Amino acid sequence: MIQALDKIKHKDSKNFFLIAGPCAIESEDLAMEVAEKVVQLTNQFNIPYIFKGSFKKANRSRVDSFTGIGDIKALEILKKVGEKYDIPTTTDIHENEHAALAAQYVDVLQIPAFLVRQTDLLIAAAVTGKAVTLKKGQFLSAESMKFAVDKVKDSGNDKIALIERGNSFGYTDLVVDFRGIPTMRQYAPTILDITHSLQQPNQSSGVTGGRPELIETIAKAGIAVGADGIFIETHPNPAVAKSDGANMLKLDYLEALLEKLTRVREAIL
């Protein structure tokens, strides 16, 4: 998938690639602040980089949870980020009509974990011609993701990557089965979603919890077992983030993490 993205830098560095950004597009200023910092760091460490931000948060626990600043407004911010920093961008889609809409603004369409079995949604994303990332459902085996990949390929699109984001462990926790990464790499390049793997969903408060203190541990393990890329949601101040603040990485901590992960990558090559 990386080789198909014209704007991505450091393709030949042999490093892992990074998908990172705030969980949601909260404002243009926030998106630009995060993008500028991550671009600087990924250039420093020769890491191919895709900026991520959700233009709409459709999967929320409560009706009063933040869902977005407006679809077109958020998508226009994503487009501005891509143009200003000359980097590819990605966002998740939740409805069939979102595919064609978002494809006008971003380079990669992400299918959320809860929706990865929705055949019509996968086909809608595939036929846009954009690269497609497929998040493994918390309820699915690694082996079952072959069929999601096949749906996109059978629709004429082979620009695909898979994203591991943990499996449901009881009602309120997730666990990463690292055996799934080499399995899924047989089907497509595979990314480990670090921060979502550390969510603690379905809390009685209606607000998802998280274990951000384990981000480095999970990330190192993912690189060590051969993940092609990692996915990290990051924010200057996660405590005030409008979505997923409990499991996001503070932006100031990203440099030290990427330095360590780059060394792990070098050690296994």
Side-chain angles (χ1 to χ4, degrees):
M1 182 192 78
I2 287 296
Q3 298 300 324
L5 299 174
D6 293 336
K7 292 193 291 185
I8 205 158
K9 312 296 191 301
H10 314 298
K11 287 182 182 180
D12 300 322
S13 68
K14 297 184 179 179
N15 211 342
F16 60 88
F17 63 91
L18 175 67
I19 299 176
C23 177
I25 298 298
E26 300 178 17
S27 68
E28 183 172 335
D29 287 346
L30 173 68
M32 293 297 178
E33 179 182 356
V34 174
E36 182 176 14
K37 179 64 174 180
V38 184
V39 166
Q40 176 244 311
L41 293 175
T42 51
N43 285 336
Q44 177 181 336
F45 295 112
N46 294 318
I47 298 171
Y49 173 48
I50 302 168
F51 177 88
K52 182 267 172 184
S54 295
F55 81 95
K56 182 173 187 173
K57 299 302 297 181
N59 175 24
R60 306 310 312 275
S61 297
R62 303 188 324 206
V63 73
D64 60 348
S65 297
F66 174 80
T67 59
I69 59 174
D71 294 358
I72 299 302
K73 183 177 180 180
L75 286 166
E76 287 177 343
I77 290 171
L78 282 160
K79 184 176 181 180
K80 286 181 182 179
V81 167
E83 290 174 346
K84 180 171 181 178
Y85 296 103
D86 193 29
I87 53 174
T89 59
T90 185
T91 197
D92 43 331
I93 60 172
H94 300 84
E95 300 175 18
N96 297 349
E97 56 267 30
H98 286 170
L101 173 64
Q104 300 174 57
Y105 298 90
V106 301
D107 305 279
V108 182
L109 299 177
Q110 176 187 296
I111 305 299
F114 283 131
L115 300 176
V116 76
R117 283 177 55 88
Q118 297 297 108
T119 300
D120 288 348
L121 182 62
L122 270 61
I123 293 172
V127 300
T128 66
K130 297 290 184 175
V132 179
T133 54
L134 304 166
K135 281 203 174 187
K136 182 178 73 63
Q138 300 92 323
F139 46 88
L140 293 175
S141 68
E143 290 79 4
S144 66
M145 289 304 293
K146 176 184 184 299
F147 305 107
V149 170
D150 287 345
K151 289 177 184 180
V152 178
K153 285 185 175 179
D154 290 345
S155 301
N157 189 333
D158 61 0
K159 295 178 286 188
I160 308 164
L162 294 172
I163 302 177
E164 166 64 52
R165 53 98 70 240
N167 282 78
S168 295
F169 187 70
Y171 291 115
T172 60
D173 210 353
L174 297 166
V175 64
V176 177
D177 181 353
F178 287 97
R179 298 173 300 177
I181 290 175
T183 297
M184 291 195 293
R185 290 187 74 228
Q186 299 175 66
Y187 317 134
T190 299
I191 303 152
L192 177 58
D193 182 343
I194 310 298
T195 47
H196 285 108
S197 294
L198 293 168
Q199 280 184 331
Q200 293 182 309
N202 304 318
Q203 300 295 310
S204 59
S205 65
V207 178
T208 297
R211 298 288 304 278
E213 71 274 12
L214 293 174
I215 287 173
E216 181 178 320
T217 300
I218 296 292
K220 285 177 176 177
I223 298 298
V225 300
D228 298 285
I230 58 172
F231 181 118
I232 295 176
E233 289 187 336
T234 183
H235 192 286
N237 185 2
V240 300
K242 296 183 181 298
S243 178
D244 281 4
N247 53 272
M248 275 201 279
L249 179 70
K250 195 172 191 298
L251 186 59
D252 287 346
Y253 299 162
L254 185 60
E255 180 174 6
L257 178 63
L258 293 179
E259 182 178 7
K260 292 174 182 177
L261 298 182
T262 297
R263 294 207 306 267
V264 175
R265 178 73 170 193
E266 289 170 351
I268 66 170
L269 289 179

Short mmCIF file of all heavy atoms in Angstrom, two decimals, residues 129-158:
data_model
loop_
_atom_site.label_atom_id
_atom_site.label_comp_id
_atom_site.label_asym_id
_atom_site.label_seq_id
_atom_site.Cartn_x
_atom_site.Cartn_y
_atom_site.Cartn_z
N GLY A 129 -10.93 3.72 -5.81
CA GLY A 129 -9.55 3.66 -6.28
C GLY A 129 -8.54 4.12 -5.23
O GLY A 129 -7.33 4.05 -5.46
N LYS A 130 -9.02 4.58 -4.09
CA LYS A 130 -8.12 4.99 -3.01
C LYS A 130 -7.57 3.76 -2.30
O LYS A 130 -8.15 2.67 -2.34
CB LYS A 130 -8.86 5.87 -2.00
CG LYS A 130 -9.37 7.18 -2.57
CD LYS A 130 -8.22 8.14 -2.88
CE LYS A 130 -8.72 9.48 -3.36
NZ LYS A 130 -7.63 10.46 -3.55
N ALA A 131 -6.43 3.91 -1.64
CA ALA A 131 -5.94 2.86 -0.77
C ALA A 131 -6.94 2.64 0.36
O ALA A 131 -7.62 3.58 0.80
CB ALA A 131 -4.57 3.21 -0.22
N VAL A 132 -7.04 1.40 0.82
CA VAL A 132 -8.03 1.04 1.84
C VAL A 132 -7.33 0.31 2.98
O VAL A 132 -6.57 -0.64 2.75
CB VAL A 132 -9.13 0.13 1.26
CG1 VAL A 132 -10.14 -0.25 2.34
CG2 VAL A 132 -9.83 0.82 0.09
N THR A 133 -7.57 0.75 4.22
CA THR A 133 -7.09 0.01 5.39
C THR A 133 -8.30 -0.62 6.08
O THR A 133 -9.33 0.02 6.24
CB THR A 133 -6.33 0.91 6.38
OG1 THR A 133 -7.13 2.04 6.73
CG2 THR A 133 -5.01 1.39 5.76
N LEU A 134 -8.13 -1.87 6.48
CA LEU A 134 -9.21 -2.65 7.07
C LEU A 134 -8.84 -2.99 8.51
O LEU A 134 -7.89 -3.73 8.76
CB LEU A 134 -9.41 -3.95 6.29
CG LEU A 134 -9.69 -3.80 4.79
CD1 LEU A 134 -9.53 -5.14 4.09
CD2 LEU A 134 -11.08 -3.23 4.56
N LYS A 135 -9.59 -2.46 9.46
CA LYS A 135 -9.33 -2.78 10.86
C LYS A 135 -9.97 -4.12 11.20
O LYS A 135 -11.15 -4.34 10.93
CB LYS A 135 -9.90 -1.70 11.79
CG LYS A 135 -9.03 -0.47 11.89
CD LYS A 135 -9.30 0.27 13.18
CE LYS A 135 -8.34 1.42 13.35
NZ LYS A 135 -8.48 2.06 14.68
N LYS A 136 -9.19 -4.99 11.80
CA LYS A 136 -9.72 -6.29 12.22
C LYS A 136 -10.71 -6.10 13.36
O LYS A 136 -10.43 -5.44 14.34
CB LYS A 136 -8.60 -7.21 12.68
CG LYS A 136 -9.08 -8.62 13.08
CD LYS A 136 -7.94 -9.53 13.48
CE LYS A 136 -7.37 -9.17 14.81
NZ LYS A 136 -8.35 -9.30 15.93
N GLY A 137 -11.88 -6.66 13.19
CA GLY A 137 -12.89 -6.56 14.24
C GLY A 137 -12.41 -7.18 15.54
O GLY A 137 -11.69 -8.18 15.53
N GLN A 138 -12.84 -6.61 16.65
CA GLN A 138 -12.47 -7.13 17.96
C GLN A 138 -12.99 -8.54 18.18
O GLN A 138 -12.55 -9.24 19.08
CB GLN A 138 -13.03 -6.22 19.06
CG GLN A 138 -12.54 -4.79 19.02
CD GLN A 138 -13.46 -3.89 18.22
OE1 GLN A 138 -14.02 -4.30 17.19
NE2 GLN A 138 -13.65 -2.66 18.68
N PHE A 139 -13.90 -8.95 17.32
CA PHE A 139 -14.58 -10.24 17.44
C PHE A 139 -14.12 -11.23 16.38
O PHE A 139 -14.68 -12.32 16.27
CB PHE A 139 -16.10 -10.02 17.28
CG PHE A 139 -16.42 -9.12 16.11
CD1 PHE A 139 -16.58 -9.63 14.84
CD2 PHE A 139 -16.51 -7.74 16.28
CE1 PHE A 139 -16.85 -8.80 13.76
CE2 PHE A 139 -16.77 -6.89 15.21
CZ PHE A 139 -16.93 -7.43 13.94
N LEU A 140 -13.09 -10.88 15.60
CA LEU A 140 -12.66 -11.70 14.47
C LEU A 140 -11.29 -12.31 14.71
O LEU A 140 -10.45 -11.73 15.41
CB LEU A 140 -12.61 -10.87 13.19
CG LEU A 140 -13.94 -10.37 12.64
CD1 LEU A 140 -13.70 -9.46 11.44
CD2 LEU A 140 -14.83 -11.54 12.22
N SER A 141 -11.05 -13.44 14.08
CA SER A 141 -9.72 -14.03 14.08
C SER A 141 -8.87 -13.37 13.01
O SER A 141 -9.38 -12.76 12.06
CB SER A 141 -9.81 -15.53 13.79
OG SER A 141 -10.22 -15.75 12.44
N ALA A 142 -7.56 -13.52 13.16
CA ALA A 142 -6.66 -13.01 12.12
C ALA A 142 -6.93 -13.69 10.79
O ALA A 142 -6.92 -13.05 9.73
CB ALA A 142 -5.21 -13.23 12.55
N GLU A 143 -7.20 -14.99 10.83
CA GLU A 143 -7.43 -15.75 9.59
C GLU A 143 -8.65 -15.25 8.82
O GLU A 143 -8.66 -15.27 7.59
CB GLU A 143 -7.60 -17.23 9.92
CG GLU A 143 -6.33 -17.93 10.38
CD GLU A 143 -5.99 -17.67 11.85
OE1 GLU A 143 -6.80 -17.00 12.55
OE2 GLU A 143 -4.92 -18.14 12.29
N SER A 144 -9.65 -14.79 9.54
CA SER A 144 -10.89 -14.35 8.88
C SER A 144 -10.70 -13.07 8.08
O SER A 144 -11.52 -12.75 7.21
CB SER A 144 -11.99 -14.15 9.91
OG SER A 144 -11.69 -13.07 10.78
N MET A 145 -9.61 -12.33 8.34
CA MET A 145 -9.40 -11.08 7.60
C MET A 145 -9.04 -11.32 6.14
O MET A 145 -9.09 -10.40 5.32
CB MET A 145 -8.33 -10.24 8.29
CG MET A 145 -8.80 -9.66 9.62
SD MET A 145 -10.31 -8.66 9.47
CE MET A 145 -9.69 -7.28 8.50
N LYS A 146 -8.68 -12.54 5.79
CA LYS A 146 -8.44 -12.86 4.38
C LYS A 146 -9.67 -12.54 3.54
O LYS A 146 -9.55 -12.06 2.41
CB LYS A 146 -8.08 -14.34 4.24
CG LYS A 146 -7.89 -14.80 2.79
CD LYS A 146 -7.64 -16.28 2.70
CE LYS A 146 -7.38 -16.69 1.25
NZ LYS A 146 -8.53 -16.40 0.35
N PHE A 147 -10.85 -12.78 4.10
CA PHE A 147 -12.07 -12.60 3.32
C PHE A 147 -12.39 -11.11 3.13
O PHE A 147 -12.93 -10.71 2.10
CB PHE A 147 -13.22 -13.34 3.99
CG PHE A 147 -12.91 -14.80 4.19
CD1 PHE A 147 -12.65 -15.30 5.45
CD2 PHE A 147 -12.83 -15.66 3.11
CE1 PHE A 147 -12.33 -16.63 5.63
CE2 PHE A 147 -12.51 -16.99 3.27
CZ PHE A 147 -12.25 -17.49 4.54
N ALA A 148 -12.04 -10.29 4.11
CA ALA A 148 -12.20 -8.85 3.94
C ALA A 148 -11.26 -8.34 2.85
O ALA A 148 -11.64 -7.51 2.00
CB ALA A 148 -11.93 -8.12 5.26
N VAL A 149 -10.02 -8.83 2.86
CA VAL A 149 -9.06 -8.46 1.81
C VAL A 149 -9.59 -8.88 0.45
O VAL A 149 -9.54 -8.12 -0.53
CB VAL A 149 -7.69 -9.09 2.10
CG1 VAL A 149 -6.75 -8.93 0.90
CG2 VAL A 149 -7.06 -8.47 3.34
N ASP A 150 -10.13 -10.09 0.37
CA ASP A 150 -10.63 -10.59 -0.91
C ASP A 150 -11.77 -9.73 -1.44
O ASP A 150 -11.89 -9.51 -2.66
CB ASP A 150 -11.11 -12.03 -0.76
CG ASP A 150 -9.97 -13.03 -0.60
OD1 ASP A 150 -8.81 -12.65 -0.90
OD2 ASP A 150 -10.24 -14.17 -0.19
N LYS A 151 -12.62 -9.22 -0.56
CA LYS A 151 -13.73 -8.37 -1.01
C LYS A 151 -13.21 -7.12 -1.72
O LYS A 151 -13.76 -6.69 -2.74
CB LYS A 151 -14.61 -7.97 0.17
CG LYS A 151 -15.45 -9.10 0.74
CD LYS A 151 -16.24 -8.62 1.96
CE LYS A 151 -17.02 -9.76 2.59
NZ LYS A 151 -17.80 -9.33 3.77
N VAL A 152 -12.15 -6.52 -1.16
CA VAL A 152 -11.59 -5.32 -1.77
C VAL A 152 -10.88 -5.67 -3.07
O VAL A 152 -11.05 -5.00 -4.10
CB VAL A 152 -10.63 -4.62 -0.79
CG1 VAL A 152 -10.00 -3.39 -1.44
CG2 VAL A 152 -11.39 -4.20 0.48
N LYS A 153 -10.09 -6.74 -3.06
CA LYS A 153 -9.38 -7.16 -4.28
C LYS A 153 -10.36 -7.54 -5.39
O LYS A 153 -10.16 -7.19 -6.56
CB LYS A 153 -8.45 -8.33 -3.98
CG LYS A 153 -7.20 -7.95 -3.22
CD LYS A 153 -6.27 -9.14 -3.06
CE LYS A 153 -4.96 -8.74 -2.41
NZ LYS A 153 -4.04 -9.90 -2.24
N ASP A 154 -11.41 -8.26 -5.03
CA ASP A 154 -12.39 -8.68 -6.03
C ASP A 154 -13.16 -7.50 -6.61
O ASP A 154 -13.82 -7.63 -7.64
CB ASP A 154 -13.37 -9.69 -5.43
CG ASP A 154 -12.71 -11.03 -5.13
OD1 ASP A 154 -11.59 -11.28 -5.64
OD2 ASP A 154 -13.31 -11.84 -4.38
N SER A 155 -13.08 -6.36 -5.94
CA SER A 155 -13.71 -5.13 -6.43
C SER A 155 -12.74 -4.29 -7.25
O SER A 155 -13.03 -3.15 -7.59
CB SER A 155 -14.26 -4.31 -5.25
OG SER A 155 -15.19 -5.06 -4.51
N GLY A 156 -11.56 -4.85 -7.54
CA GLY A 156 -10.61 -4.20 -8.43
C GLY A 156 -9.59 -3.31 -7.77
O GLY A 156 -8.97 -2.48 -8.43
N ASN A 157 -9.37 -3.49 -6.46
CA ASN A 157 -8.44 -2.62 -5.75
C ASN A 157 -7.49 -3.49 -4.93
O ASN A 157 -7.92 -4.25 -4.07
CB ASN A 157 -9.23 -1.68 -4.83
CG ASN A 157 -8.38 -0.59 -4.21
OD1 ASN A 157 -7.19 -0.74 -4.03
ND2 ASN A 157 -9.01 0.53 -3.86
N ASP A 158 -6.19 -3.37 -5.20
CA ASP A 158 -5.21 -4.15 -4.43
C ASP A 158 -4.35 -3.26 -3.53
O ASP A 158 -3.33 -3.72 -3.01
CB ASP A 158 -4.33 -4.98 -5.36
CG ASP A 158 -3.53 -4.12 -6.33
OD1 ASP A 158 -3.65 -2.88 -6.30
OD2 ASP A 158 -2.76 -4.71 -7.13
#
